[in-house]
């Protein structure tokens, strides 16, 4: 056996050991609630659109989503060598087949820029990017009390303006007592293209605004220039008597985006399509990453098969999360707990005032195996005063939801609100073929 092969085997053993650690971590219901509480609303016409700033999600829960078989190629070993100390999250990244193929194709850009003060440092190790997505790998060292170190992230372009993007990251949970934390920021470019220069700012929450770490680095666009592929689909499927138009697939090195539109004559508002995935002719499943949700349809993100083009792809799912359009708007009397309108499965358990906020707790019958929680938009009191949601939580084990309305204690009379997402699931399996080549 060669020295090179020995080094690969040793690396694989280390990765599998870290994988086993993550697989044995307990993940309580609070982890799911933390994901929901990380959802923040961004203004747009008529309805809110969710952006995913999952700053509260448990790192253990996040990594458990991606654990699986690990094999180490020479290109992958080289990737780990470029990012020393990153083995703790490599097993997570490895399970994104498209992302790992992009790494194997040398699309990783080394950065290695550090900002250090007060004994704590932030290093951006490297990035992978195309027109649709950027993944930033970073390391933090020297946190004195990581459990109390909560932070926000700002992403700025070369002009110092915030990027109009959706992005996700996890809360600190160091893999060792050394205070070293390794993770990634996953960015979706929905309204813009990646900048030519990016600044990443970590701001410690609740502390002096000067207590922040700032890293600026160039972004090379040439590695994936001209690699975008548009594949027309133009097929319609009917699920639970609701028509769904699959318009096109857009293939990038880091992911595939499937554009879906819901028929305007549908009797239900569709919030989500359950268990959506693509299956190739070998039976390999290309999983979904996330969705950009709107009232008329979705852009659904899948692992990319850019560097491994299948001969055949089938889009499969098990049903919908949807509510009859006539049941979308509800009226709540916080004092009496009475609900008018809404699905029959929705019950208000209690409403309480906490400081300036109003906390509403609901139960939803028949919501087992739900993959999304309960949220609202267009919230007004009887005087027409608007309110926003500050936090949402969903406990799937007991089918209960918690909605915190910012400054809701000042609401006058009944609250009128429109359902924005709902955990009730409609079982209706479906399958359609998707073209592979443009």
């Amino acid at each position: 056996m060669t020295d090179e092969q020995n080094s690969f085997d040793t690396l694989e053993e280390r990765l599998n050991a870290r994988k086993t650690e993550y697989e044995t971590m307990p993940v309580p219901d609070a982890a799911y609630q933390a994901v929901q509480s990380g959802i923040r609303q961004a203004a747009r016409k008529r309805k809110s659109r969710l952006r995913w700033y999952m700053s509260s999600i448990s790192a253990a829960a996040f990594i458990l989503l991606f654990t699986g078989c690990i094999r180490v190629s020479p290109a992958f070993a080289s990737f780990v060598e470029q990012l020393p100390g990153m083995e703790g999250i490599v097993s997570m990244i490895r399970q994104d087949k498209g992302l790992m193929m992009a790494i194997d194709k040398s699309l990783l850009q080394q950065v290695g820029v550090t900002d250090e003060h007060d004994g704590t440092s932030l290093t951006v190790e490297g990035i992978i990017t195309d027109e649709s997505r950027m993944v930033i790998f970073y390391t933090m060292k020297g946190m004195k009390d990581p459990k109390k170190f909560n932070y926000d992230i700002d992403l700025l372009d070369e002009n110092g303006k915030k990027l109009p993007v959706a992005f996700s990251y996890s809360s600190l949970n160091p893999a060792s007592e050394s205070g070293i934390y390794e993770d990634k920021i996953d960015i979706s470019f929905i309204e813009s293209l990646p900048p030519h220069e990016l600044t990443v700012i970590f701001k410690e929450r609740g502390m002096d605004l000067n207590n922040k770490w700032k890293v600026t680095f160039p972004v090379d666009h040439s590695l994936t220039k001209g690699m975008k592929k548009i594949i027309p689909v133009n097929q319609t499927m009917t699920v639970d008597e609701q028509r769904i138009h699959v318009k096109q697939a857009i293939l990038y090195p880091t992911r595939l985006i499937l554009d879906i539109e819901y028929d305007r004559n549908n009797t239900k508002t569709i919030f989500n399509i359950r268990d959506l995935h693509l299956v190739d002719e070998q039976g390999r499943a290309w999983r979904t990453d996330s969705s950009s949700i709107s009232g008329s349809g979705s852009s659904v993100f899948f692992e990319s098969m850019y560097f491994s083009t299948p001969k055949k792809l089938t889009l499969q799912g098990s049903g919908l999360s949807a509510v009859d359009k006539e049941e979308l708007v509800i009226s709540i009397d916080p004092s009496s707990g009475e609900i008018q309108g809404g699905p029959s499965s929705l019950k208000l358990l209690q409403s309480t005032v906490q400081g300036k906020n109003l906390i509403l707790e609901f139960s939803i019958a028949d919501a087992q195996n739900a993959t999304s929680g309960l949220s609202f938009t267009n919230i007004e009191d009887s005087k027409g005063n608007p309110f926003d949601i500050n936090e949402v939580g969903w406990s799937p084990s007991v089918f209960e939801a918690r909605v915190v309305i910012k400054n809701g204690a000042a609401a006058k009379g009944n609250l009128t609100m429109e359902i924005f997402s709902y955990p009730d699931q409609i079982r209706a399996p479906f399958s359609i073929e998707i073209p592979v080549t443009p």
Side-chain angles (χ1 to χ4, degrees):
M1 184 178 292
T2 66
D3 291 340
E4 183 182 34
Q5 184 60 49
N6 278 327
S7 68
F8 295 159
D9 291 343
T10 300
L11 173 59
E12 185 174 353
E13 289 176 3
R14 298 205 315 269
L15 294 178
N16 274 307
R18 297 299 292 271
K19 167 181 173 287
T20 301
E21 293 177 13
Y22 290 122
E23 285 178 332
T24 57
M25 288 182 181
V27 183
D29 287 343
Y32 190 93
Q33 294 177 2
V35 177
Q36 294 298 324
S37 66
I39 298 175
R40 301 176 181 175
Q41 293 179 324
R44 73 175 184 91
K45 293 182 180 179
R46 188 175 171 271
K47 280 193 175 182
S48 299
R49 180 180 55 206
L50 295 184
R51 292 187 179 185
W52 294 266
Y53 296 87
M54 300 194 301
S55 57
S56 302
I57 183 173
S58 157
F62 197 52
I63 290 173
L64 278 170
L65 295 175
F66 299 92
T67 53
C69 179
I70 298 174
R71 290 303 304 167
V72 178
S73 68
F76 183 49
S78 175
F79 161 67
V80 177
E81 290 172 358
Q82 293 173 38
L83 304 181
M86 295 285 283
E87 297 98 327
I89 65 166
V90 167
S91 59
M92 174 186 67
I93 301 168
R94 182 62 169 169
Q95 296 314 302
D96 187 323
K97 295 186 288 292
L99 199 59
M100 291 315 301
M101 283 189 284
I103 291 173
D104 285 343
K105 294 296 182 179
S106 301
L107 296 186
L108 174 71
Q109 300 180 34
Q110 289 183 263
V111 177
V113 180
T114 300
D115 183 19
E116 181 176 5
H117 57 82
D118 300 326
T120 302
S121 67
L122 164 69
T123 301
V124 173
E125 308 283 1
I127 64 171
I128 298 176
T129 189
D130 52 32
E131 294 181 17
S132 173
R133 181 187 183 192
M134 179 187 292
V135 182
I136 303 173
F137 305 101
Y138 68 90
T139 303
M140 295 197 76
K141 298 180 180 179
M143 289 84 70
K144 296 179 181 179
D145 191 351
K147 293 182 179 179
K148 296 181 180 179
F149 188 87
N150 296 315
Y151 61 96
D152 293 312
I153 292 178
D154 286 339
L155 303 173
L156 311 179
D157 64 15
E158 53 265 37
N159 299 314
K161 296 182 179 180
K162 287 188 177 182
L163 294 178
V165 296
F167 64 97
S168 65
Y169 59 97
S170 57
S171 63
L172 295 182
N173 187 10
S176 68
E177 296 179 357
S178 64
I180 298 175
Y181 178 71
E182 311 137 347
D183 210 336
K184 65 186 178 71
I185 306 171
D186 204 332
I187 305 171
S188 293
F189 294 98
I190 299 172
E191 301 174 357
S192 65
L193 294 174
H196 291 279
E197 183 181 86
L198 179 63
T199 296
V200 180
I201 302 175
F202 280 62
K203 300 186 298 184
E204 193 166 5
R205 195 177 300 157
M207 305 295 288
D208 191 320
L209 290 179
N210 291 325
N211 200 8
K212 61 185 179 182
W213 293 261
K214 181 178 179 180
V215 172
T216 300
F217 53 90
V219 178
D220 185 357
H221 290 231
S222 65
L223 295 179
T224 57
K225 184 178 181 180
M227 296 182 74
K228 173 182 176 181
K229 296 180 181 179
I230 298 178
I231 304 171
V233 179
N234 298 321
Q235 296 189 50
T236 297
M237 56 186 180
T238 301
V239 183
D240 188 45
E241 300 181 349
Q242 310 304 304
R243 289 170 58 83
I244 302 173
H245 309 294
V246 185
K247 301 175 65 178
Q248 65 179 9
I250 307 175
L251 185 58
Y252 298 93
T254 63
R255 68 183 176 191
L256 178 145
I257 302 178
L258 196 64
D259 284 341
I260 292 175
E261 184 177 278
Y262 306 133
D263 196 295
R264 66 178 63 185
N265 294 319
N266 285 342
T267 59
K268 300 178 185 288
T269 292
I270 301 172
F271 303 116
N272 193 24
I273 303 177
R274 181 178 168 87
D275 299 329
L276 199 61
H277 57 280
L278 291 166
V279 179
D280 65 17
E281 74 282 356
Q282 300 180 38
R284 293 181 299 178
W286 301 82
R287 66 179 178 84
T288 54
D289 188 293
S290 59
S291 302
S292 174
I293 304 172
S294 67
S296 59
S298 298
S299 292
V300 186
F301 305 146
F302 294 86
E303 292 175 292
S304 174
M305 61 286 295
Y306 193 97
F307 298 106
S308 179
T309 306
K311 297 179 181 178
K312 178 182 177 183
L313 275 179
T314 303
L315 179 67
Q316 298 179 356
S318 63
L320 306 174
S321 173
V323 169
D324 287 341
K325 291 180 178 179
E326 296 179 352
E327 299 177 341
L328 284 177
V329 178
I330 69 173
S331 176
I332 292 179
D333 183 343
S335 60
S336 68
E338 181 182 354
I339 294 182
Q340 294 181 352
S344 59
S345 57
L346 180 66
K347 306 295 182 184
L348 179 64
L349 297 177
Q350 65 176 357
S351 64
T352 56
V353 172
Q354 188 177 81
K356 295 182 179 180
N357 297 332
L358 177 66
I359 301 175
L360 303 175
E361 296 183 42
F362 299 88
S363 67
I364 298 96
D366 301 323
Q368 56 265 46
N369 301 319
T371 56
S372 59
L374 175 69
S375 187
F376 298 94
T377 187
N378 298 331
I379 304 172
E380 293 183 351
D381 65 10
S382 59
K383 300 294 184 180
N385 300 314
F387 295 89
D388 294 323
I389 288 181
N390 190 50
E391 181 182 333
V392 295
W394 168 244
S395 180
S397 62
V398 292
F399 314 148
E400 291 181 1
R402 182 175 184 267
V403 178
V404 180
I405 300 178
K406 185 177 181 180
N407 299 320
K412 305 296 182 182
N414 288 7
L415 282 173
T416 301
M417 56 186 71
E418 183 177 346
I419 296 174
F420 186 80
S421 65
Y422 200 74
D424 190 24
Q425 301 293 324
I426 300 169
R427 278 72 178 175
F430 63 87
S431 175
I432 64 169
E433 289 193 11
I434 301 294
V436 175
T437 56

